[in-house]
Amino acid sequence: MLGGKLLKSTQWWSCLGSKLPPHRNQVASESVHGSRLAADELKSCQVCLEENKACKCRPGEDIDEQLKKEVNCTDGGDHHVKANTSFAHAVINMIGMLIGLGQLSTPYALENGGWTSAFLLVGLGIVCAYTTYLLGKCLQQNAKSKDYPDIGEHAFGLKGRIIASTFIYMEIFMALVSYTISLSDNLTTVLSGTHLSVPWVHLSTSQLLTGMAVLVALPSLWLRDLSSISFLSSGGILMSLIIFLSVPFTAVFGGVRANHSIPVIQLQKIPAISGLYAFSFAGHIVFPNIYTAMKDPSKFTKVSIVSFTLVTILYTALAFMGAKLFGPEVKSQITLSMPRHLIITKLALWATILTPMTKYALEFAPFAMQLEQNLPCSLSSRMKMFIRASVGSLLLLGILVLALLVPYFQHVLGLTGSLVSICISIIFPCVFYTRIYWSQISRSLVVLNLTLILIGSLLAVFGSISSSISLLESITRGHAH
């Protein structure tokens, strides 16, 4: 029995390190379950010492070294984390996380909501910058908190972690569906005139092209080492810059005049477009990792101010340019409104196509790493990779099917923003901060946070209802045709 116990202990110590993979931003997360197991094993080792028995927790190492390694692994992860990110690098990371699908839809949102809805866009940018600051304060209050679920657990225990994790995975899944719809729309546009057919497969050319593109990106999910695919994120800002510059270049070189008038306001459409605006600032699930990776976390507030200011200016400028150039004809994705014969349009379309294909592996990474952490230690690396690849492939194929069945970009993106992004970016940070600092914050700050929670809840409810109704109407019309 003692030999079996020591063998079990040895296996657990051996696989502990492998169960702590890097986060999507190369920041390891603390495992509460692992900490409890560690405590049990440390007690076992202490019994060995007290009884003057040879401790065989790991052959060839003394107990002091093992204890040091275990403390480093479980007590905040300092052994794995190198906080060496500079201020400029942190700003680039945050901007890269914020810029994405949101910029494609802001001209459409402004045209449909009216030019006064720009105040809502700017207001959400300010609020999300503030809630980013709140997340930093929550991390500062508890050194053991490393990521978004950790903050939820610090505030409300295990229930807080489960709720935060659930919404994070919902946002990742729904965002990937939106990315795939965008991929399909732009791929069909750039390859218009192409005709494909497969015997016994009743799919349109657009659906076949989208399926082929997703299959090309599928092997990236099989890579286990995130560092080998982290280079995919470096092109994100470049792609976004190409898309942004393509709009003014269309006016300068494409002969499109910015002579359309924008409505003042269309109140009935505000709930739906609020989700589009909210999604544009949704990046809070990764911001805690940016904080923990900084050499000087005290500058995190400045990082958020600079990042959100630049992104809000970019979004607002792009929204007005797109709405003025294309008016009521502006599409839900600005790239689909641009003259197709222009070279800059083709560049923008390909940039929009490549962006989703590089996002799949990066967006799937947090789920994949959590999956590996929950797999039994007795499984071989090859089996873990097989399970990871199988689950990732099935999820991506499910996302592909859903995107093909519901190809309505603006409604799916609006629903994602209203149902999930507002909760993660506005409501939860205010709730977590208020709960954690309840005995320390002033009454005015409590009132401010409660007000933001109320406003966020109203936007989430009415936005989700409006987007859901529009989505159902589009699906009904699609089946009717």
Side-chain angles (χ1 to χ4, degrees), residues 174 271-272 406 408 410-412 414-416 418-419 460-476:
M174 296 178 72
V406 192
Y408 308 105
Q410 69 273 28
H411 303 318
V412 174
L415 182 60
T416 304
S418 298
L419 183 63
V461 171
F462 288 108
S464 298
I465 293 173
S466 178
S467 297
S468 299
I469 292 174
S470 299
L471 181 60
L472 291 174
E473 290 177 349
S474 297
I475 293 174
T476 303

Side-chain angles (χ1 to χ4, degrees), residues 222-252:
W222 305 343
L223 298 174
R224 187 175 186 276
D225 184 11
L226 185 59
S227 62
S228 62
I229 60 173
S230 60
F231 71 92
L232 295 174
S233 63
S234 62
I237 295 181
L238 177 61
M239 297 296 177
S240 299
L241 185 61
I242 291 174
I243 296 170
F244 175 75
L245 292 177
S246 67
V247 178
F249 282 1
T250 299
V252 175

Side-chain angles (χ1 to χ4, degrees), residues 386-442:
F386 175 77
I387 294 174
R388 171 196 178 104
S390 300
V391 173
S393 300
L394 290 174
L395 279 176
L396 187 54
L397 292 177
I399 288 169
L400 171 62
V401 171
L402 188 57
L404 295 179
L405 291 175
V406 192
Y408 308 105
F409 176 81
Q410 69 273 28
H411 303 318
V412 174
L413 194 68
L415 182 60
T416 304
S418 298
L419 183 63
V420 185
S421 298
I422 288 179
C423 292
I424 291 177
S425 302
I426 299 177
I427 298 176
F428 289 171
C430 292
V431 172
F432 293 161
Y433 177 85
T434 304
R435 172 73 179 221
I436 292 172
Y437 282 93
W438 178 256
S439 60
Q440 304 175 38
I441 57 178
S442 62

Side-chain angles (χ1 to χ4, degrees), residues 93-404:
N93 285 340
M94 188 170 288
I95 292 176
M97 188 63 202
L98 288 171
I99 294 179
L101 285 178
Q103 68 171 347
L104 296 176
S105 61
T106 48
Y108 172 85
L110 187 75
E111 170 64 29
N112 280 269
W115 65 264
T116 53
S117 69
F119 291 106
L120 176 61
L121 175 63
V122 174
L124 285 173
I126 295 172
V127 170
C128 288
Y130 169 70
T131 55
T132 301
Y133 158 78
L134 295 185
L135 291 179
K137 295 296 288 183
C138 292
L139 292 168
Q140 180 182 340
Q141 206 275 342
N142 184 8
K144 292 184 178 180
S145 295
K146 301 298 181 184
D147 55 22
Y148 201 100
D150 285 346
I151 297 174
E153 182 173 17
H154 183 205
F156 295 100
L158 184 59
K159 291 181 179 179
R161 170 174 285 274
I162 292 174
I163 292 174
S165 299
T166 300
F167 273 80
I168 286 173
Y169 293 136
M170 284 176 59
E171 183 175 60
I172 291 173
F173 182 82
M174 296 178 72
L176 287 178
V177 172
S178 299
Y179 272 115
T180 307
I181 297 173
S182 174
L183 168 65
S184 178
D185 293 342
N186 287 273
L187 191 60
T188 304
T189 301
V190 80
L191 296 179
S192 59
T194 304
H195 297 284
L196 293 177
S197 62
V198 178
W200 311 106
V201 177
H202 302 288
L203 294 176
S204 65
T205 298
S206 172
Q207 293 172 330
L208 288 172
L209 288 172
T210 306
M212 292 169 61
V214 170
L215 290 177
V216 169
L218 188 61
S220 65
L221 300 182
W222 305 343
L223 298 174
R224 187 175 186 276
D225 184 11
L226 185 59
S227 62
S228 62
I229 60 173
S230 60
F231 71 92
L232 295 174
S233 63
S234 62
I237 295 181
L238 177 61
M239 297 296 177
S240 299
L241 185 61
I242 291 174
I243 296 170
F244 175 75
L245 292 177
S246 67
V247 178
F249 282 1
T250 299
V252 175
F253 302 108
V256 180
R257 295 185 177 180
N259 55 5
H260 290 278
S261 61
I262 306 173
V264 178
I265 191 169
Q266 300 188 74
L267 284 174
Q268 72 278 11
K269 296 183 179 181
I270 293 296
I273 68 164
S274 65
L276 297 175
Y277 285 154
F279 185 87
S280 301
F281 296 108
H284 290 61
I285 60 177
V286 174
F287 293 164
N289 305 108
I290 294 177
Y291 175 95
T292 54
M294 291 184 64
K295 284 189 293 187
D296 186 3
S298 65
K299 295 182 179 179
F300 182 73
T301 301
K302 293 181 180 179
V303 168
S304 62
I305 292 174
V306 171
S307 301
F308 275 92
T309 299
L310 293 176
V311 170
T312 302
I313 291 173
L314 184 147
Y315 282 154
T316 307
L318 185 62
F320 275 100
M321 281 192 295
K324 289 292 290 182
L325 284 172
F326 305 107
E329 301 301 318
V330 67
K331 306 294 185 182
S332 58
Q333 301 174 68
I334 187 61
T335 51
L336 302 180
S337 302
M338 298 162 59
R340 299 185 186 180
H341 66 279
L342 298 177
I343 295 178
I344 189 64
T345 300
K346 298 183 185 299
L347 288 174
L349 288 169
W350 278 111
T352 310
I353 291 168
L354 292 174
T355 299
M357 295 181 68
T358 61
K359 286 286 186 178
Y360 290 131
L362 293 169
E363 293 286 350
F364 176 69
F367 175 81
M369 288 182 289
Q370 186 63 42
L371 174 65
E372 284 197 9
Q373 286 183 2
N374 293 328
L375 291 176
C377 294
S378 57
L379 292 179
S380 64
S381 298
R382 182 174 297 181
M383 179 58 66
K384 288 182 179 181
M385 178 181 175
F386 175 77
I387 294 174
R388 171 196 178 104
S390 300
V391 173
S393 300
L394 290 174
L395 279 176
L396 187 54
L397 292 177
I399 288 169
L400 171 62
V401 171
L402 188 57
L404 295 179

